[in-house]
Short mmCIF file of all heavy atoms in Angstrom, two decimals:
data_model
loop_
_atom_site.label_atom_id
_atom_site.label_comp_id
_atom_site.label_asym_id
_atom_site.label_seq_id
_atom_site.Cartn_x
_atom_site.Cartn_y
_atom_site.Cartn_z
N GLN A 341 7.63 -13.99 19.30
CA GLN A 341 8.61 -15.09 19.31
C GLN A 341 9.00 -15.50 20.73
O GLN A 341 9.47 -16.61 20.95
CB GLN A 341 9.86 -14.65 18.54
CG GLN A 341 9.54 -14.31 17.09
CD GLN A 341 10.74 -13.76 16.36
OE1 GLN A 341 11.64 -14.50 16.00
NE2 GLN A 341 10.77 -12.46 16.15
N GLY A 342 8.80 -14.60 21.69
CA GLY A 342 9.15 -14.91 23.08
C GLY A 342 8.28 -16.01 23.69
O GLY A 342 8.65 -16.60 24.71
N TRP A 343 7.13 -16.31 23.07
CA TRP A 343 6.24 -17.34 23.59
C TRP A 343 6.45 -18.69 22.91
O TRP A 343 5.77 -19.67 23.24
CB TRP A 343 4.77 -16.91 23.42
CG TRP A 343 4.44 -15.59 24.04
CD1 TRP A 343 4.06 -14.46 23.38
CD2 TRP A 343 4.47 -15.25 25.42
NE1 TRP A 343 3.84 -13.42 24.26
CE2 TRP A 343 4.09 -13.88 25.53
CE3 TRP A 343 4.78 -15.94 26.60
CZ2 TRP A 343 4.02 -13.21 26.75
CZ3 TRP A 343 4.70 -15.28 27.81
CH2 TRP A 343 4.33 -13.93 27.88
N LYS A 344 7.39 -18.73 21.99
CA LYS A 344 7.62 -19.97 21.21
C LYS A 344 7.93 -21.14 22.15
O LYS A 344 8.78 -21.00 23.05
CB LYS A 344 8.82 -19.74 20.29
CG LYS A 344 8.74 -20.42 18.97
CD LYS A 344 9.96 -20.01 18.17
CE LYS A 344 9.76 -20.17 16.73
NZ LYS A 344 10.76 -19.46 15.97
N GLY A 345 7.25 -22.27 21.94
CA GLY A 345 7.52 -23.48 22.73
C GLY A 345 6.97 -23.44 24.14
O GLY A 345 7.19 -24.37 24.91
N LYS A 346 6.25 -22.38 24.52
CA LYS A 346 5.73 -22.29 25.89
C LYS A 346 4.25 -22.64 25.92
O LYS A 346 3.52 -22.34 24.96
CB LYS A 346 5.92 -20.86 26.42
CG LYS A 346 7.36 -20.51 26.62
CD LYS A 346 7.51 -19.16 27.27
CE LYS A 346 9.01 -18.85 27.39
NZ LYS A 346 9.29 -17.43 27.53
N LYS A 347 3.83 -23.24 27.05
CA LYS A 347 2.40 -23.50 27.23
C LYS A 347 1.77 -22.21 27.73
O LYS A 347 2.24 -21.59 28.69
CB LYS A 347 2.26 -24.64 28.25
CG LYS A 347 0.89 -24.85 28.82
CD LYS A 347 0.25 -26.11 28.23
CE LYS A 347 -1.13 -26.40 28.79
NZ LYS A 347 -2.16 -25.47 28.45
N LEU A 348 0.72 -21.75 27.06
CA LEU A 348 0.10 -20.47 27.40
C LEU A 348 -1.15 -20.70 28.24
O LEU A 348 -1.75 -21.79 28.20
CB LEU A 348 -0.22 -19.70 26.12
CG LEU A 348 1.04 -19.34 25.31
CD1 LEU A 348 0.68 -18.66 23.99
CD2 LEU A 348 1.96 -18.42 26.11
N PRO A 349 -1.57 -19.71 29.05
CA PRO A 349 -2.71 -19.90 29.97
C PRO A 349 -3.99 -20.33 29.26
O PRO A 349 -4.21 -20.00 28.09
CB PRO A 349 -2.89 -18.51 30.59
CG PRO A 349 -1.59 -17.81 30.40
CD PRO A 349 -0.98 -18.36 29.16
N ASP A 350 -4.84 -21.02 30.00
CA ASP A 350 -6.14 -21.47 29.43
C ASP A 350 -6.97 -20.28 29.00
O ASP A 350 -6.97 -19.23 29.66
CB ASP A 350 -6.94 -22.25 30.50
CG ASP A 350 -6.29 -23.60 30.77
OD1 ASP A 350 -5.46 -24.02 29.94
OD2 ASP A 350 -6.61 -24.19 31.81
N GLY A 351 -7.68 -20.45 27.91
CA GLY A 351 -8.67 -19.45 27.49
C GLY A 351 -8.11 -18.32 26.65
O GLY A 351 -8.88 -17.51 26.13
N VAL A 352 -6.77 -18.23 26.50
CA VAL A 352 -6.22 -17.11 25.73
C VAL A 352 -6.20 -17.48 24.24
O VAL A 352 -6.28 -18.65 23.87
CB VAL A 352 -4.80 -16.71 26.19
CG1 VAL A 352 -4.78 -16.44 27.68
CG2 VAL A 352 -3.76 -17.77 25.80
N LEU A 353 -6.07 -16.47 23.41
CA LEU A 353 -5.92 -16.70 21.96
C LEU A 353 -4.47 -16.43 21.59
O LEU A 353 -3.92 -15.37 21.90
CB LEU A 353 -6.84 -15.74 21.19
CG LEU A 353 -6.73 -15.82 19.66
CD1 LEU A 353 -7.23 -17.15 19.12
CD2 LEU A 353 -7.51 -14.67 19.00
N GLY A 354 -3.84 -17.41 20.94
CA GLY A 354 -2.48 -17.21 20.43
C GLY A 354 -2.55 -16.73 18.99
O GLY A 354 -3.40 -17.17 18.23
N VAL A 355 -1.67 -15.80 18.63
CA VAL A 355 -1.64 -15.29 17.26
C VAL A 355 -0.28 -15.60 16.64
O VAL A 355 0.75 -15.16 17.14
CB VAL A 355 -1.93 -13.77 17.24
CG1 VAL A 355 -1.64 -13.19 15.87
CG2 VAL A 355 -3.38 -13.50 17.62
N GLY A 356 -0.30 -16.39 15.56
CA GLY A 356 0.94 -16.76 14.87
C GLY A 356 1.49 -18.09 15.37
O GLY A 356 1.19 -18.54 16.48
#
Side-chain angles (χ1 to χ4, degrees):
Q341 300 174 76
W343 304 115
K344 215 177 202 164
K346 293 186 182 159
K347 166 107 178 67
L348 297 176
D350 289 344
V352 306
L353 176 67
V355 169

